[in-house]
Amino acid sequence: MVLRKIVASMMSCLGISKQPKEASSSSTTSIDPLVAVVPLRIRLGDGRYLAYKESGVPKSKSIYRIIVVHGFGSSKDMNFMAPQEVLEELGIYILLFDRAGYGESDPNPKRSLKSEASDIEELADQLQLGAKFYVISVSVGAYPTWSCLKRIPHRLAGVALVVPFINYKWPSLPDELTRDDYRKNLSRWTVWVTRYTPGLVHWWLTQKIFPSSSTVLDRNPRFFSKKDLEVLKNTPGYQLLSKNKLKERVVFDSIRRDFIVAFSKWDFDPLELENPMLGKGGKSSVHIWQGFEDKVVPVELQRCVSKYLPWIHYHEVPDGGHLLVYDSAVCEAILRSLLLQDDPPLYRPKYNA
């Protein structure tokens, strides 16, 4: 049962038990079920394909162009619930894509921090987003974005990290802040298990003898805030990491590599990054959005990040959990702060930085 607890806790820390279905759009399009839908894809320089989809206003008519980076166990079909009228008002084009090995994108056996940033830059270039573009990342999708801030800051018009995960291996994280955080040892053990006993983990996630991790976690208040539970209650939900999918070894290996890259030692410390916008008079359009009641990423750690990096605009949603992107009011605030430098008083943290 030790493995069961490790996997269940791992899944909870990533916020990936059951997640809401994408809300239906106000305008629907009839699709003939007999006609195959061909995914939009680009071919990268190394021969891999990345699948993507577009929303918001047409790119040719857009003022702002944003790439959305999904988290662990998600895909380009994640829902960023920005109201359509806001997208039209501000002239926003949104590009969502399947990261390597997810959805309809090819896996990358050589996945790394560098390759994640490279994929984003090449995607932007092939789809002609311009010299600069915006990035919004969610949860574990933050690690490709941190890599972008490190490696291609000259391409970024602005960044919003929404409930970004924390890697406990960042050297500058104060030990007194993480010493008693069970997630620290959990992430260390999970990386070890997934790296050195992948066969055992694969068997556990696909076996039918014992309850799955999603059964253990489903609507469990230990892992979800009240606001998160409301979201899950009002939506049927679906399992992003189904047993049928995980039986495919290529899918399992891609997700495994993603986890290992995210939680292993990095080649840089994000808490030592300098303001990437220094060449623009010191102004920065880099933001962190955190739910005060997030049970996946502790608010104390996010506040610590904001203190180490004072050039980042830090926002806190008082009753927010880990599913902030399913709150349309928060999504609108994320867009207005990122693009227009709005600073909504409601989301200012209630502490002295």
Side-chain angles (χ1 to χ4, degrees), residues 174-211:
D175 182 64
E176 63 271 16
L177 190 61
T178 64
R179 187 183 300 117
D180 298 325
D181 189 338
Y182 75 93
R183 301 169 187 82
K184 181 177 181 178
N185 287 330
L186 174 64
S187 63
R188 182 185 297 130
W189 274 103
T190 307
V191 167
W192 189 93
V193 170
T194 54
R195 174 175 282 153
Y196 296 110
T197 61
L200 183 61
V201 176
H202 184 255
W203 170 81
W204 173 255
L205 292 173
T206 56
Q207 54 79 33
K208 298 180 179 179
I209 303 173
F210 305 107

Coordinates of all heavy atoms in Angstrom, one line a residue, residues 174-211:
P174 N 14.3 28.6 1.1 CA 14.8 28.5 2.4 C 14.4 27.2 3.1 O 13.2 26.7 3.0 CB 14.0 29.6 3.2 CG 13.6 30.6 2.1 CD 13.4 29.7 0.9
D175 N 15.3 26.5 3.7 CA 15.1 25.2 4.3 C 14.1 25.3 5.4 O 13.2 24.4 5.5 CB 16.4 24.6 4.8 CG 16.2 23.2 5.4 OD1 15.9 22.3 4.6 OD2 16.4 23.1 6.6
E176 N 14.1 26.4 6.1 CA 13.1 26.5 7.2 C 11.7 26.6 6.7 O 10.7 26.3 7.5 CB 13.4 27.7 8.1 CG 13.3 29.0 7.4 CD 14.6 29.4 6.8 OE1 15.5 28.6 6.6 OE2 14.8 30.6 6.4
L177 N 11.5 26.9 5.5 CA 10.2 27.1 4.9 C 9.7 25.7 4.3 O 8.5 25.5 4.3 CB 10.2 28.1 3.8 CG 8.8 28.5 3.2 CD1 8.0 29.2 4.3 CD2 9.1 29.5 2.0
T178 N 10.6 24.9 4.0 CA 10.2 23.6 3.3 C 10.4 22.4 4.2 O 10.0 21.3 3.8 CB 10.9 23.4 2.0 OG1 12.4 23.3 2.3 CG2 10.7 24.6 1.1
R179 N 11.1 22.5 5.3 CA 11.6 21.4 6.1 C 10.4 20.5 6.5 O 10.5 19.3 6.5 CB 12.3 21.9 7.4 CG 12.9 20.8 8.2 CD 13.5 21.3 9.5 NE 14.6 22.3 9.2 CZ 14.6 23.6 9.5 NH1 13.5 24.0 10.2 NH2 15.6 24.4 9.2
D180 N 9.3 21.1 6.9 CA 8.1 20.3 7.4 C 7.0 20.1 6.3 O 5.9 19.7 6.6 CB 7.5 21.0 8.6 CG 8.5 21.0 9.8 OD1 9.3 20.1 9.9 OD2 8.5 22.0 10.5
D181 N 7.3 20.5 5.1 CA 6.4 20.3 4.0 C 6.5 18.9 3.4 O 7.5 18.5 2.9 CB 6.7 21.4 2.9 CG 5.5 21.4 1.9 OD1 4.8 20.4 1.7 OD2 5.4 22.5 1.2
Y182 N 5.4 18.1 3.6 CA 5.4 16.7 3.2 C 5.7 16.6 1.7 O 6.2 15.6 1.2 CB 4.1 16.0 3.6 CG 2.9 16.4 2.7 CD1 2.6 15.6 1.6 CD2 2.1 17.5 3.0 CE1 1.5 15.9 0.8 CE2 1.1 17.8 2.3 CZ 0.7 17.0 1.2 OH -0.3 17.3 0.4
R183 N 5.3 17.6 0.9 CA 5.5 17.6 -0.5 C 6.9 17.5 -0.9 O 7.3 17.0 -2.0 CB 4.8 18.8 -1.2 CG 3.3 19.0 -0.9 CD 2.9 20.4 -1.3 NE 1.5 20.7 -0.9 CZ 1.2 21.1 0.3 NH1 2.1 21.3 1.2 NH2 -0.1 21.4 0.5
K184 N 7.8 18.0 -0.1 CA 9.3 18.0 -0.4 C 9.8 16.5 -0.5 O 10.4 16.1 -1.5 CB 10.0 18.8 0.6 CG 11.5 18.8 0.4 CD 12.2 19.7 1.4 CE 13.7 19.8 1.2 NZ 14.4 20.7 2.2
N185 N 9.6 15.8 0.6 CA 10.0 14.4 0.5 C 9.2 13.5 -0.5 O 9.7 12.6 -1.1 CB 9.9 13.7 1.9 CG 10.9 14.3 2.9 OD1 12.0 14.6 2.5 ND2 10.6 14.3 4.2
L186 N 7.9 13.9 -0.6 CA 7.1 13.2 -1.6 C 7.6 13.3 -3.0 O 7.7 12.3 -3.7 CB 5.7 13.7 -1.5 CG 4.7 13.1 -2.5 CD1 4.5 11.7 -2.3 CD2 3.4 13.9 -2.4
S187 N 8.0 14.5 -3.4 CA 8.5 14.7 -4.7 C 9.8 14.0 -4.9 O 10.1 13.5 -6.0 CB 8.6 16.2 -5.0 OG 9.6 16.8 -4.2
R188 N 10.6 14.0 -3.9 CA 11.9 13.3 -4.0 C 11.7 11.8 -4.2 O 12.4 11.2 -5.1 CB 12.7 13.6 -2.7 CG 14.1 13.0 -2.7 CD 14.8 13.1 -1.4 NE 15.1 14.5 -1.1 CZ 14.8 15.1 0.0 NH1 14.2 14.4 1.0 NH2 15.0 16.4 0.2
W189 N 10.8 11.2 -3.4 CA 10.6 9.8 -3.5 C 9.9 9.5 -4.9 O 10.2 8.4 -5.5 CB 9.7 9.3 -2.4 CG 10.5 9.0 -1.1 CD1 10.6 9.7 0.0 CD2 11.2 7.8 -0.9 NE1 11.4 9.1 0.9 CE2 11.8 7.9 0.4 CE3 11.5 6.7 -1.7 CZ2 12.6 6.9 0.9 CZ3 12.3 5.7 -1.2 CH2 12.9 5.8 0.1
T190 N 9.0 10.3 -5.3 CA 8.3 10.0 -6.5 C 9.2 10.1 -7.7 O 9.1 9.3 -8.7 CB 7.1 11.0 -6.7 OG1 6.3 11.0 -5.5 CG2 6.3 10.6 -7.9
V191 N 10.1 11.1 -7.8 CA 11.1 11.1 -8.8 C 12.0 9.9 -8.8 O 12.2 9.3 -9.9 CB 12.0 12.4 -8.7 CG1 13.2 12.3 -9.6 CG2 11.2 13.6 -9.0
W192 N 12.4 9.4 -7.7 CA 13.2 8.2 -7.6 C 12.4 7.0 -8.1 O 12.9 6.2 -8.9 CB 13.6 7.9 -6.1 CG 14.6 6.8 -6.0 CD1 16.0 6.9 -5.9 CD2 14.3 5.4 -5.8 NE1 16.5 5.7 -5.8 CE2 15.6 4.7 -5.8 CE3 13.1 4.7 -5.8 CZ2 15.6 3.3 -5.6 CZ3 13.2 3.3 -5.7 CH2 14.5 2.6 -5.6
V193 N 11.1 6.8 -7.7 CA 10.3 5.7 -8.1 C 10.1 5.7 -9.6 O 10.2 4.7 -10.3 CB 9.0 5.7 -7.3 CG1 8.0 4.7 -7.9 CG2 9.2 5.4 -5.9
T194 N 9.7 6.9 -10.1 CA 9.4 6.9 -11.6 C 10.7 6.8 -12.4 O 10.6 6.3 -13.6 CB 8.7 8.3 -11.9 OG1 9.5 9.4 -11.5 CG2 7.3 8.3 -11.3
R195 N 11.8 7.2 -11.9 CA 13.1 7.1 -12.7 C 13.6 5.7 -12.7 O 14.0 5.1 -13.7 CB 14.1 8.0 -12.1 CG 15.5 7.9 -12.7 CD 16.4 9.0 -12.2 NE 16.2 10.2 -12.9 CZ 16.5 11.4 -12.3 NH1 17.0 11.5 -11.1 NH2 16.3 12.5 -12.9
Y196 N 13.6 5.0 -11.5 CA 14.3 3.7 -11.3 C 13.4 2.5 -11.3 O 13.8 1.4 -11.5 CB 15.1 3.7 -10.1 CG 16.2 4.7 -10.1 CD1 16.2 5.9 -9.3 CD2 17.3 4.6 -11.0 CE1 17.2 6.8 -9.3 CE2 18.3 5.6 -11.0 CZ 18.2 6.7 -10.2 OH 19.2 7.6 -10.3
T197 N 12.1 2.7 -11.1 CA 11.1 1.5 -11.2 C 9.9 1.9 -12.0 O 8.8 1.8 -11.6 CB 10.7 1.1 -9.8 OG1 10.0 2.2 -9.2 CG2 11.9 0.7 -8.9
P198 N 10.1 2.3 -13.3 CA 9.0 2.7 -14.1 C 8.0 1.6 -14.4 O 6.8 1.8 -14.5 CB 9.7 3.1 -15.4 CG 11.0 2.4 -15.4 CD 11.4 2.4 -14.0
G199 N 8.5 0.3 -14.5 CA 7.6 -0.8 -14.7 C 6.6 -1.0 -13.6 O 5.5 -1.3 -13.8
L200 N 7.1 -0.8 -12.4 CA 6.2 -0.9 -11.2 C 5.1 0.2 -11.2 O 4.0 -0.1 -10.9 CB 7.0 -0.9 -9.9 CG 6.3 -1.1 -8.6 CD1 5.6 -2.4 -8.5 CD2 7.2 -0.9 -7.4
V201 N 5.6 1.4 -11.5 CA 4.6 2.5 -11.5 C 3.6 2.3 -12.7 O 2.4 2.5 -12.5 CB 5.4 3.9 -11.7 CG1 4.4 5.0 -11.9 CG2 6.3 4.1 -10.6
H202 N 4.1 1.8 -13.8 CA 3.2 1.6 -14.9 C 2.1 0.5 -14.6 O 0.9 0.7 -14.9 CB 4.0 1.2 -16.2 CG 3.2 1.0 -17.4 ND1 2.8 -0.3 -17.9 CD2 2.6 1.9 -18.2 CE1 2.1 -0.1 -19.0 NE2 1.9 1.2 -19.2
W203 N 2.6 -0.5 -13.9 CA 1.7 -1.6 -13.5 C 0.6 -1.0 -12.6 O -0.6 -1.3 -12.7 CB 2.4 -2.7 -12.8 CG 1.5 -3.7 -12.2 CD1 0.8 -4.7 -12.8 CD2 1.0 -3.7 -10.8 NE1 0.0 -5.4 -11.9 CE2 0.1 -4.8 -10.6 CE3 1.3 -2.9 -9.7 CZ2 -0.5 -5.1 -9.4 CZ3 0.7 -3.2 -8.5 CH2 -0.2 -4.3 -8.4
W204 N 1.0 -0.2 -11.6 CA 0.1 0.3 -10.6 C -1.0 1.2 -11.2 O -2.1 1.1 -10.9 CB 0.9 1.1 -9.5 CG -0.1 1.7 -8.6 CD1 -0.4 3.0 -8.5 CD2 -0.9 1.0 -7.6 NE1 -1.4 3.2 -7.5 CE2 -1.7 2.0 -7.0 CE3 -1.1 -0.3 -7.2 CZ2 -2.6 1.7 -6.0 CZ3 -2.0 -0.6 -6.2 CH2 -2.8 0.4 -5.6
L205 N -0.5 2.0 -12.1 CA -1.5 3.0 -12.7 C -2.5 2.3 -13.7 O -3.5 2.9 -14.0 CB -0.7 4.1 -13.5 CG 0.1 5.0 -12.6 CD1 0.9 6.0 -13.5 CD2 -0.8 5.9 -11.7
T206 N -2.1 1.1 -14.1 CA -3.0 0.4 -15.1 C -3.7 -0.8 -14.6 O -4.6 -1.4 -15.2 CB -2.2 0.0 -16.4 OG1 -1.1 -0.8 -16.0 CG2 -1.7 1.3 -17.1
Q207 N -3.4 -1.2 -13.3 CA -3.9 -2.5 -12.8 C -5.4 -2.3 -12.4 O -5.9 -1.1 -12.2 CB -3.1 -2.9 -11.6 CG -2.9 -1.9 -10.5 CD -4.1 -1.7 -9.6 OE1 -4.9 -2.7 -9.3 NE2 -4.3 -0.5 -9.1
K208 N -6.1 -3.4 -12.3 CA -7.6 -3.3 -11.9 C -7.9 -4.0 -10.6 O -9.1 -4.1 -10.3 CB -8.4 -4.0 -13.1 CG -8.2 -3.3 -14.4 CD -9.0 -4.0 -15.5 CE -8.9 -3.3 -16.8 NZ -9.7 -4.0 -17.9
I209 N -6.9 -4.4 -9.9 CA -7.1 -5.1 -8.6 C -7.5 -4.1 -7.5 O -8.5 -4.4 -6.8 CB -5.8 -5.9 -8.2 CG1 -5.4 -6.8 -9.3 CG2 -6.1 -6.6 -6.9 CD1 -4.1 -7.5 -9.1
F210 N -6.8 -3.0 -7.4 CA -7.0 -2.1 -6.3 C -7.6 -0.8 -6.8 O -7.5 -0.5 -8.0 CB -5.7 -1.8 -5.6 CG -5.0 -3.0 -5.1 CD1 -3.8 -3.4 -5.7 CD2 -5.4 -3.7 -4.0 CE1 -3.1 -4.5 -5.2 CE2 -4.8 -4.8 -3.5 CZ -3.6 -5.2 -4.1
P211 N -8.3 0.0 -5.9 CA -8.8 1.3 -6.4 C -7.7 2.1 -7.0 O -6.6 2.2 -6.5 CB -9.4 1.9 -5.1 CG -9.6 0.7 -4.2 CD -8.5 -0.3 -4.5

